[in-house]
Amino acid sequence: MSIFKKKPKTELPAISTASLPDIVFMLLFFFMVATVMRNDTLIVKNELPYADQIEKLERKNMVIHIYAGKPSSRYKNVGTEAKIQLNDKFASIHEVRSFVLEEIKSKPEELRPFLTTAIKVDKDTKMGLVGDVKKELRAVHMLKINYITKRGQASNNLQ
């Protein structure tokens, strides 16, 4: 008589999938809360210059964005000169004024005096274009301008 008895072969229990919908909904809610929708798709090259004295904008809903730079590699057919991007399209300098006025009208009236224009300029863009944008902003009394940069030493811009 043997000491060890062979156990009868049992089947593995089925895996319970009862908690699977809970996990899926938990992931769905996580991504809905954690995801930020991108406002604009960049169509201009945008390598930002460095600055060492920067401040973070507190309320991003009170910011009007204007981008400037050479067209990105996907838009080489537009040319190689620096362009202005308003929302998701190229624009001329004369369209800046109407764009800013439309953006001001789209904001709630109590926020309008506190709006800031954020200019995001590629580091290789000439200042003449930026000066022209500033003139257009001055014409519509948007005098609060913020330049978007990267944190770092300003001497890194010379490289």
Side-chain angles (χ1 to χ4, degrees), residues 19 75 104 119:
S19 62
Y75 300 95
I104 291 172
I119 302 176

Side-chain angles (χ1 to χ4, degrees), residues 66-81:
I66 297 175
Y67 305 96
K70 292 180 181 177
S72 65
S73 60
R74 289 180 50 196
Y75 300 95
K76 287 290 184 188
N77 58 350
V78 178
T80 58
E81 290 291 318

Side-chain angles (χ1 to χ4, degrees), residues 30-123:
F30 170 75
F31 286 116
M32 287 173 57
V33 171
T35 303
V36 176
M37 300 299 282
R38 176 175 251 177
N39 291 338
D40 300 321
T41 303
L42 283 178
I43 56 176
V44 294
K45 181 183 168 195
N46 205 282
E47 190 174 329
L48 298 175
Y50 291 98
D52 53 1
Q53 297 178 2
I54 60 173
E55 292 180 27
K56 188 173 184 177
L57 290 173
E58 294 297 324
R59 297 182 65 185
K60 294 188 177 184
N61 63 345
M62 296 179 8
V63 177
I64 299 170
H65 291 276
I66 297 175
Y67 305 96
K70 292 180 181 177
S72 65
S73 60
R74 289 180 50 196
Y75 300 95
K76 287 290 184 188
N77 58 350
V78 178
T80 58
E81 290 291 318
K83 301 274 184 193
I84 298 170
Q85 177 186 346
L86 303 174
N87 285 337
D88 289 335
K89 64 179 183 175
F90 292 112
S92 68
I93 193 70
H94 305 293
E95 296 176 75
V96 171
R97 192 179 300 186
S98 61
F99 169 75
V100 170
L101 290 175
E102 286 179 25
E103 288 289 318
I104 291 172
K105 286 180 185 174
S106 70
K107 304 290 182 184
E109 193 161 332
E110 62 270 7
L111 296 179
R112 289 180 187 171
F114 306 108
L115 289 175
T116 303
T117 304
I119 302 176
K120 202 170 189 179
V121 181
D122 184 61
K123 71 177 188 179

